[in-house]
Amino acid sequence: MRVLRVAVLGAGYMGSAVTFPLCENGVKVNLWGTWLDDGTLDACASGVHPKLKKRLRDGVSLFYSDQLARALDGVDAVFVAVTSEGFAPVFTRFLEVFEPRDSGRGVPILTLTKGLLRRDGDVKRISETAEELFRGRFGRHPFSWASVGGPVKAVDLSREVPTATVYGTRSGDAEKIAESFGAPYYRITTCPDVVGVELSSAFKNVYAIALGICDGVYRSWAPDSYHNVRSLVFTQAVKEMASIVVKAGGAKETVYGLAGVGDLHVTSSSGRNRRFGDLIGGGMTAVQAFDLMMGEGETAEGYAALEHGMQLVLRLLDAGDGSPIEKELPLLAKLHEIVYRGRPLMEAFEGFISTQGNRG
Amino acid sequence: MRVLRVAVLGAGYMGSAVTFPLCENGVKVNLWGTWLDDGTLDACASGVHPKLKKRLRDGVSLFYSDQLARALDGVDAVFVAVTSEGFAPVFTRFLEVFEPRDSGRGVPILTLTKGLLRRDGDVKRISETAEELFRGRFGRHPFSWASVGGPVKAVDLSREVPTATVYGTRSGDAEKIAESFGAPYYRITTCPDVVGVELSSAFKNVYAIALGICDGVYRSWAPDSYHNVRSLVFTQAVKEMASIVVKAGGAKETVYGLAGVGDLHVTSSSGRNRRFGDLIGGGMTAVQAFDLMMGEGETAEGYAALEHGMQLVLRLLDAGDGSPIEKELPLLAKLHEIVYRGRPLMEAFEGFISTQGNRG
């Protein structure tokens, strides 16, 4: 089999981490840095990746932000690995220089970006936005897409700790090429439920805030003795994510697998959104917590995702039987009150817990 | 409403912890200690509970092992809260002195004991064993039963940290009385899937060993960087528990709720079975790990539960389409190889991970 070459757009944590299993598998990688990644590429060129604290593999070629066309030249697939805020601008630039194949088959586009996007006053999944932008440029040319989910922390992946991931795709081309990216420590599973994978990936960041708040609230008054409430919140988060995915037309099984349970587990154990919640649980306002983290160079994506997610959910509930969110998704409702309306923590949390009786 | 009185059989962690929400709710509690609990009762009578490190509430009356009949006199419900090994002997003694009501309505029996029991060369759920013993003594008298599940760590509960639990019952009497036991920090939900609750409660102890092994294996070579593999194992455990419950006639939704996901979360965060696995992951044999913990007064119930669970699962698979366990439940199969056959850890674990490809 000929050597595959892929472009990875974004040289941050995840874009750089995925180059390790790709190289392990003999794939050649064009790692393109956005206009924010110049310093990262400089550091990689002369030594280690500054975030992953590790030298990239030999199969990786570096491309600066003004070299996008060269980075895309002749590649067999493209990974998009920027933040959710960066997705639309980067994808728009990508489409300007991308040359789709003449063969009538699409070049698979696989996104590692997780979240929801606000566009034209509405909230959309990443694949919805991507397909709109793609169709605007290429009309009916095949749109071969996969949304990547599952419990994949970038640092762990780059250290070659065993990791499993799920590629949500309805494209045979994307599914086929994804199978050739797996390595012994990077197991790829596929599923056709793109909606379920994308919404799980977005909402786990939201619910990880709730688990972080748990940590912040209970750590001080019940150190090492609040596992019950943390497990209750975790379980309720899974239940609500399943409810949201089903309302949006996805499958709840997706939530019970790697994309939902798995990703929520990893994110609520160690991610930035957990920490954002932890700071709020410890007494900060959401704005204070967000700013503190920004000052350290970390973005709590769940902060925006909570607001976007709320808007999406309210639309879904309106389109359904009009049930109030407090009844359908009590944890999400309370979380929004705490984070966006500054409702006192314990009052909101205990309100959530007391709504849990006799509902299985 | 008249004051309720319940007997709690077993003065260990869980039996003593449940007295807190009961008393909070105005219930009078007769706490009966088994023949192993004499020292515990002595300590409680003169001060604090030695395991919970806390004084019991005023509504609790203490009864020694030779006072079982008095402890049961006129009670409205009975909790059984002994270890799984202690269940059959204690329940047999209970039946010898128990006087069922003449009204034709059963006195609800609620068990906090989790696990599987070996009887007559076969492995059974606790409610199966209990009903057999009950019928042998009382024939067709109403058997009013609930199996209690969910993420309830005893120490957390006794400290009045918010906790939610699920009572699996098909008895209206048991369901009704259970509702009167809830407190603001002890939310009771009910569900009719007794099989699902019992098997979730038993198998979470088994799968918590796998998560402990993860900790033991990866902590040393990837400190704070093995969240991906831990989340993968957690997700696979949930999937396999759902598969087992469905094969046994239960509902997979039970596994995705408090009884399964919730209880696995709490047990794999902090329980004795997690630690048992951790010691094995660190290089001990299962026997060494079990003995070390016994020496500290702690029983890793998952050790026996794994062997019993394996026997149950093999019977279910035989009765089904005869699929091999390695295909249906690869994590359970590898775990059994590691714990009972001393298979090298990494070989077994990597074998598990490499079976995970392309199966969602």
Side-chain angles (χ1 to χ4, degrees), chain B residues 36-267:
Chain B
L36 300 173
D37 292 333
D38 288 351
T40 299
L41 293 192
D42 288 343
C44 289
S46 61
V48 302
H49 189 285
K51 287 186 169 166
L52 300 179
K53 316 287 187 209
K54 189 172 176 179
R55 179 180 288 277
L56 299 181
R57 299 274 295 258
D58 288 341
V60 178
S61 306
L62 302 176
F63 293 83
Y64 284 81
S65 60
D66 59 357
Q67 300 176 307
L68 181 56
R70 280 182 51 205
L72 293 169
D73 186 38
V75 297
D76 300 289
V78 179
F79 280 92
V80 186
V82 296
T83 62
S84 51
E85 298 90 70
F87 183 83
V90 165
F91 198 71
T92 301
R93 278 197 61 176
F94 159 72
L95 291 174
E96 284 163 8
V97 298
F98 180 59
E99 296 287 345
R101 290 179 185 157
D102 297 330
S103 67
R105 295 180 61 184
V107 171
I109 304 164
L110 310 103
T111 187
L112 297 158
T113 303
K114 295 175 175 180
L116 295 168
L117 304 176
R118 186 184 295 279
R119 276 183 64 80
D120 310 329
D122 203 356
V123 170
K124 300 196 171 167
R125 289 179 287 108
I126 286 175
S127 71
E128 289 179 300
T129 301
E131 184 160 7
E132 273 177 28
L133 292 168
F134 185 92
R135 296 271 172 244
R137 174 95 170 87
F138 296 117
R140 297 179 57 82
H141 191 85
F143 177 69
S144 177
W145 178 270
S147 292
V148 182
V152 185
K153 220 184 141 209
V155 172
D156 298 20
L157 177 59
S158 72
R159 293 183 191 175
E160 309 186 4
V161 171
T163 296
T165 178
V166 53
Y167 282 55
T169 182
R170 288 186 301 265
S171 153
D173 290 340
E175 186 174 346
K176 198 164 160 225
I177 201 159
E179 285 171 3
S180 64
F181 296 150
Y185 61 84
Y186 183 64
R187 304 305 307 181
I188 294 172
T189 65
T190 58
C191 100
D193 181 19
V194 179
V195 171
V197 170
E198 287 191 300
L199 292 184
S200 294
S201 295
F203 278 93
K204 59 92 191 178
N205 279 340
V206 172
Y207 285 105
I209 301 173
L211 282 144
I213 291 177
C214 242
D215 291 337
V217 168
Y218 291 103
R219 192 194 298 106
S220 57
W221 74 266
D224 204 38
S225 278
Y226 63 98
H227 296 96
N228 293 355
V229 66
R230 206 176 196 284
S231 299
L232 159 61
V233 172
F234 187 91
T235 308
Q236 182 66 18
V238 171
K239 187 192 240 181
E240 295 193 8
M241 284 165 63
S243 170
I244 292 166
V245 164
V246 168
K247 285 180 206 306
K252 60 187 174 183
E253 283 68 25
T254 307
V255 176
Y256 301 139
L258 292 167
V261 167
D263 205 359
L264 181 65
H265 195 279
V266 79
T267 306

Side-chain angles (χ1 to χ4, degrees), chain A residues 151 153 156 159 161-163 187-189 218 225-229 231 235 256-257 262 265-266 270 353 356 358 360, chain B residues 151 153 156 159 161-163 188-189 218 225-229 231 235 256-258 262 265-266 270 353 356 358 360:
Chain A
K153 220 183 142 212
D156 297 20
R159 292 183 191 175
V161 171
T163 297
R187 304 305 306 182
I188 294 170
T189 66
Y218 291 103
S225 278
Y226 63 98
H227 297 95
N228 293 355
V229 65
S231 298
T235 308
Y256 301 139
H265 195 279
V266 79
S270 75
I353 288 162
Q356 294 307 299
N358 299 313
Chain B
K153 220 184 141 209
D156 298 20
R159 293 183 191 175
V161 171
T163 296
I188 294 172
T189 65
Y218 291 103
S225 278
Y226 63 98
H227 296 96
N228 293 355
V229 66
S231 299
T235 308
Y256 301 139
L258 292 167
H265 195 279
V266 79
S270 74
I353 289 162
Q356 294 306 299
N358 299 313

Side-chain angles (χ1 to χ4, degrees), chain A residues 190-350:
Chain A
T190 58
C191 99
D193 180 19
V194 179
V195 170
V197 170
E198 286 190 299
L199 291 184
S200 295
S201 296
F203 278 92
K204 59 92 191 180
N205 278 339
V206 171
Y207 285 105
I209 300 173
L211 283 145
I213 290 176
C214 243
D215 292 336
V217 168
Y218 291 103
R219 191 194 297 106
S220 56
W221 74 267
D224 204 37
S225 278
Y226 63 98
H227 297 95
N228 293 355
V229 65
R230 204 177 198 284
S231 298
L232 159 60
V233 173
F234 187 91
T235 308
Q236 182 66 18
V238 170
K239 189 193 240 181
E240 295 193 8
M241 283 165 63
S243 170
I244 293 166
V245 163
V246 168
K247 285 179 207 306
K252 60 187 174 183
E253 283 68 27
T254 307
V255 176
Y256 301 139
L258 292 168
V261 167
D263 204 359
L264 181 65
H265 195 279
V266 79
T267 306
S268 65
S269 301
S270 75
R272 285 167 274 184
N273 296 298
R274 190 214 65 76
R275 177 150 179 256
F276 174 64
D278 198 337
L279 293 170
I280 294 170
M284 285 190 185
T285 66
V287 171
Q288 288 168 337
F290 190 82
D291 289 349
L292 176 80
M293 291 178 66
M294 279 299 275
E296 296 170 356
E298 300 286 6
T299 306
E301 291 191 279
Y303 187 34
L306 171 55
E307 183 67 11
H308 295 166
M310 196 69 177
Q311 188 178 336
L312 181 86
V313 160
L314 291 173
R315 193 179 73 210
L316 292 171
L317 290 172
D318 269 353
D321 62 3
S323 296
I325 188 166
E326 292 75 12
K327 180 169 169 288
E328 288 288 306
L329 304 163
L331 179 56
L332 185 67
K334 297 296 179 196
L335 184 63
H336 192 264
E337 285 180 14
I338 292 170
V339 172
Y340 278 94
R341 296 193 220 155
R343 180 154 170 203
L345 276 171
M346 293 307 284
E347 181 192 324
F349 243 78
E350 292 189 355

